[in-house]
Amino acid sequence: MDGTALLTITVLAVFVGFEVVSKVSSTLHTPLMSGANAIHGIILVGAIIVAGQAADSWVLAVALVAVVLATANLVGGFVVTDRMLHMFHAKKDTAKARAVEPKGGGK
């Protein structure tokens, strides 16, 4: 595939991604993006495969940079998802604590 085709695909992917993300409501944006970041682990697999088959040193360098960036993206997705889940658990624990507390001071 030549450079023009790759550039065309990249530009179209940017436009489609922008349109899809801009149509998502703000309440669903964070869970959707954290899940999508976690799914992007396939990029890490692709970068490792490219690094394993690299014949030139500059291809290996670019592949290693891709591995580092994909790993950061993957870990970031899991961290954001975990943080969001803790936010929901904190509300449940607070509600349980309020339900267990005796009313009227307990005297």
Side-chain angles (χ1 to χ4, degrees), residues 4-18:
T4 306
L6 292 174
L7 182 64
T8 303
I9 291 171
T10 302
V11 169
L12 289 175
V14 167
F15 283 127
V16 169
F18 180 77

Side-chain angles (χ1 to χ4, degrees), residues 7-82:
L7 182 64
T8 303
I9 291 171
T10 302
V11 169
L12 289 175
V14 167
F15 283 127
V16 169
F18 180 77
E19 285 297 318
V20 168
V21 170
S22 66
K23 302 294 186 225
V24 174
S25 69
S26 60
T27 56
L28 294 177
H29 189 263
T30 303
L32 181 66
M33 293 308 293
S34 66
N37 284 339
I39 291 171
H40 283 157
I42 193 69
I43 295 171
L44 178 62
V45 173
I48 291 172
I49 290 172
V50 169
Q53 297 178 349
D56 296 330
S57 60
W58 68 271
V59 173
L60 181 62
V62 171
L64 291 177
V65 169
V67 167
V68 169
L69 293 176
T71 302
N73 190 22
L74 181 67
V75 171
F78 281 118
V79 167
V80 168
T81 302
D82 187 53

